[in-house]
Amino acid sequence: MNDTQAKPPRSTPSSSQPRRRQGQAAGRQGQPRAQAPANPVLQQLADWYPQLFGEQPRPLKRGIYADLLAAQPEGLDAEGLKAALALHTRSTRYLSSVAAGQARHDLAGQAVEDMAPEHVLHALLEVHRRRQARSQEDLRPKLRQRIAQAFETSGLSREDYAVLLPSRDPAVQAQFDQALDEAAARAAKDAALHRAYSASGLEPTAFADSYGLPLGEVQRMLERVKRRSQQA
């Protein structure tokens, strides 16, 4: 090489070090974040009562805090248990089980109390809020469907059910009102179809065939009409 030809400049520590740091930072950004450690009390509860605190948690009976302290006096700290239960019952997995209308369960895993309609409604709205915040899909139609189903299951009148709405946000109120409108429309459709079914004297399968309806749709209609009759 000719001595007069310019040589490429050497990389100095000050110029290469930032590049390495940037590369390391980029590598860290591409890696999944480490999950926060699980609450040790909840881990212990899941080992003792997997049917309540496992992967598919069930709603807890009222007074479960006292029951746990009585059942595990040596293994649980009162304050630690209180904090763990607060964390557990605010989790999306737990709220989803409440939103599904599951009954409350005791330490033996037995259903001991129906879930109150206001708790189901509150859980539905909260789970929807969290999921919508993470999704690009418009989940409002699903929310309305779930509210309509919860309303029908509650056995309450529209006026009594409306009192349970925990939010007065106009957007939430609009979805709630539309859901109850849809429930009312379905009830009217069910009543008309049930009158035709009763007048036909046919069995569900034959009635479904004669009206060109899926058998499952007729069976669900009959179940809803029966439930409304029992609630009335």
Side-chain angles (χ1 to χ4, degrees):
M1 172 184 288
N2 192 329
D3 291 340
T4 60
Q5 184 177 354
K7 296 181 180 180
R10 291 184 179 180
S11 297
T12 62
S14 60
S15 62
S16 61
Q17 191 170 3
R19 290 193 183 95
R20 286 197 298 269
R21 286 176 183 159
Q22 290 173 1
Q24 292 169 355
R28 287 195 298 268
Q29 289 174 0
Q31 296 175 354
R33 292 181 179 179
Q35 294 183 348
N39 182 284
V41 178
L42 287 179
Q43 288 182 320
Q44 181 63 77
L45 291 174
D47 290 339
W48 287 334
Y49 309 102
Q51 72 275 25
L52 294 181
F53 297 92
E55 287 299 317
Q56 297 180 334
R58 292 175 173 173
L60 304 172
K61 62 161 285 198
R62 302 170 195 266
I64 200 77
Y65 170 77
D67 292 349
L68 284 166
L69 286 179
Q72 307 289 344
E74 302 298 327
L76 290 172
D77 167 71
E79 290 303 315
L81 176 61
K82 185 181 297 185
L85 287 178
L87 183 66
H88 178 66
T89 54
R90 287 196 297 265
S91 70
T92 300
R93 286 193 307 144
Y94 181 85
L95 289 175
S96 295
S97 69
V98 175
Q102 295 185 31
R104 294 184 179 275
H105 292 70
D106 61 14
L107 292 183
Q110 300 298 314
V112 295
E113 180 186 0
D114 289 338
M115 185 61 64
E118 59 267 31
H119 296 158
V120 175
L121 179 59
H122 174 82
L124 276 173
L125 295 173
E126 179 59 22
V127 171
H128 166 76
R129 184 189 67 80
R130 297 181 186 184
R131 289 178 175 168
Q132 189 63 83
R134 301 193 303 268
S135 176
Q136 298 296 322
E137 179 187 358
D138 183 2
L139 301 178
R140 290 176 298 178
K142 294 180 181 179
L143 172 65
R144 293 195 299 270
Q145 182 181 26
R146 297 289 302 279
I147 291 175
Q149 291 172 345
F151 165 56
E152 292 175 344
T153 303
S154 73
L156 298 174
S157 68
R158 178 166 183 154
E159 292 74 18
D160 290 340
Y161 196 73
V163 174
L164 306 181
L165 184 63
S167 172
R168 290 297 176 263
D169 179 272
V172 174
Q173 184 74 57
Q175 294 302 308
F176 181 80
D177 291 341
Q178 188 173 345
L180 299 195
D181 288 343
E182 292 172 2
R186 182 163 66 178
K189 180 180 178 181
D190 284 348
L193 189 60
H194 188 261
R195 286 194 297 270
Y197 168 78
S198 299
S200 72
L202 298 173
E203 294 297 320
T205 302
F207 178 78
D209 289 340
S210 66
Y211 272 73
L213 297 172
L215 176 59
E217 182 177 337
V218 173
Q219 291 173 331
R220 288 190 292 272
M221 175 275 292
L222 293 174
E223 291 171 359
R224 290 193 296 267
V225 169
K226 181 180 179 181
R227 183 175 65 245
R228 294 187 190 109
S229 178
Q230 292 172 340
Q231 292 169 344

